[in-house]
Every structure is written in structure tokens, then in C-alpha cells.
Amino acid sequence: MRGMNWILCGRERLEAIRSIFNEAILNSTALYDYEPRSVAVMEAWFAAKEAAGLPVIGLENAMGELMGFASYGPFRAFPAYKYTVEHSVYVDGRFRGRGLGRMLLERVVEAAEVAGNKTMIGVIDAENAASIALHERLGFVRCGEIRHAGFKFGRWLDLVFYQRVLKGPESPVDG
Ligand SMILES: CC(C)(COP(=O)(O)OP(=O)(O)OC[C@H]1O[C@@H](n2cnc3c(N)ncnc32)[C@H](O)[C@@H]1OP(=O)(O)O)[C@@H](O)C(=O)NCCC(=O)NCCS
């Protein structure tokens, strides 16, 4: 797409990110939140990314609008998970189905690999056909399922896990 730019999202993008998240919260099971995220919740989300040095990678169009973003963070808080990350990828509804999700996911996989991580996990609602297709296209392999993991819109939700093994650190160490 002409006039599209890669950006590293800073605080000034938080409202655009919040609006993409909140559309998905209200209209889909992509996120297991019931309520739209507040400004304060988003500020805490971004502060955690900043403190950990984790990038929020974005794509903007020629008008400067954020079309989508991707990021990654810890999978579970226990120390020995330190080389495993969970990522997220979101494209604004107006720009889906044009290859942007694929570009963002490729870019965030690369960032996580360069940072020395070994395993990348996508945690996806089982109804999310677009996300499942995207992950399978990029070599993520289904590695588990939790049935009835969530309850939203009056029904039980199943969760599927996808993983991609990365190069990992040259000399992994305990501790
Ligand atoms: C999932 C999401 C990021 C995909 O982004 P996108 O820009 O629409 O996807 P792309 O156009 O890059 O498509 C990637 C691949 O998935 C496939 N795909 C996309 N949407 C699809 C759909 N609804 N059903 C089946 N396959 C689909 C495409 O065909 C494409 O495969 P190809 O490269 O072989 O043609 C986007 O739909 C989204 O933001 N959804 C809401 C938030 C969300 O669910 N995030 C993921 C949470 S786990």
C-alpha cells in the first residue's frame, strides 16, 4: 500500500491503540475483557512495555492514522519462562484483509527473535478464524487447547495456543 510507514508507537499513539482494542472488546471474542479499557489502563499497559524495553510496532497510513500494531511481552511471570514470549497483533477494522496483519506479525516475530527469545506463543480464541489463518500462514503450530477457558456474550469460549520456535539465545543460562 502506498504511503504506509513503519513506526515505533509512543504514548501519543495510545488513544488509537485503545480504540482498536476497545472495538475488539465490544464486538468480538479476540479479547477476554468485558469492559472497554480506560485511559489509565492503557497508560499502565504502555508503562509496562516501556519499563521492559518492549516495542509496540505500528503501521500508519499516509494520513498518519494508526492502521495496526503488534507487540510482545512475558508469557508467564515465573523466572524460567524468561525466553518465552506471548505476542499480540491488531489491525483496525477498516484495514483488515490487506496483508497488514501478516506484515505486523512478521515484524514482531523478528523483533522477538533478535531480542534472544526461544519460543513465541499466540493465545487465540478458537472462533477467531482470521487470527488462526494468519498464524498458520506464518509457521505457527497449534500446540494446545483449553476448552471453556472463558465466558463472554453468554457462551463458553475455547482457547487455542499456537507456538513458533525461534533461534533463541546463543548461550541460554539459568537464573
Ligand atoms: C487477525 C488480524 C490481525 C488479521 O489481520 P489482517 O490484516 O486482516 O490479515 P491479513 O490480511 O494479513 O491476512 C493474513 C492471512 O490470514 C488470512 N485471513 C485473514 N482474514 C481471514 C478470515 N477472516 N478468515 C480466514 N482467513 C483469513 C488471509 O487470507 C491471509 O492469508 P494469505 O496471506 O495466505 O492470503 C485482524 O483480523 C484483526 O486485527 N482482528 C481483530 C483482532 C484480533 O483478533 N487479533 C488477534 C488476537 S489473537
Side-chain angles (χ1 to χ4, degrees):
M1 199 184 299
R2 281 223 307 268
M4 192 165 61
N5 289 314
W6 287 107
I7 51 169
L8 204 50
C9 297
R11 268 205 173 68
E12 73 288 349
R13 300 285 177 172
L14 273 186
E15 263 311 295
I17 292 172
R18 189 164 84 96
S19 124
I20 294 173
F21 270 146
N22 285 347
E23 187 277 330
I25 289 169
L26 292 172
N27 300 312
S28 81
T29 53
L31 281 157
Y32 283 17
D33 299 49
Y34 293 123
E35 303 297 333
R37 294 189 183 174
S38 65
V39 171
V41 163
M42 287 309 304
E43 277 171 0
W45 176 86
F46 190 75
K49 297 275 176 205
E50 222 177 14
L54 297 167
V56 180
I57 298 163
L59 274 173
E60 68 170 12
N61 65 14
M63 320 272 287
E65 293 172 300
L66 185 71
M67 295 188 289
F69 64 92
S71 190
Y72 69 89
F75 171 60
R76 299 194 76 197
F78 303 100
Y81 288 108
K82 67 180 177 173
Y83 299 121
T84 300
V85 291
E86 180 181 338
H87 64 279
S88 51
V89 53
Y90 286 82
V91 174
D92 184 304
R94 294 170 294 164
F95 304 111
R96 287 181 197 149
R98 305 182 189 182
L100 302 188
R102 187 183 183 122
M103 291 171 69
L104 286 161
L105 185 53
E106 277 171 356
R107 195 51 90 93
V108 80
V109 167
E110 190 187 317
E113 185 155 57
V114 166
N117 293 293
K118 181 66 175 170
T119 305
M120 201 152 183
I121 312 276
V123 181
I124 309 174
D125 181 76
E127 293 174 1
N128 194 344
S131 185
I132 288 172
L134 168 63
H135 283 81
E136 289 181 346
R137 295 285 190 281
L138 290 190
F140 280 77
V141 174
R142 191 172 171 132
C143 56
E145 175 171 0
I146 301 178
R147 298 199 56 230
H148 300 178
F151 187 84
K152 186 173 175 182
F153 301 141
R155 62 181 190 274
W156 295 108
L157 305 178
D158 300 339
L159 206 55
V160 290
F161 287 75
Y162 275 78
Q163 100 174 102
R164 187 162 142 182
V165 175
L166 310 177
K167 279 207 293 283
E170 275 185 19
S171 312
V173 287
D174 283 17

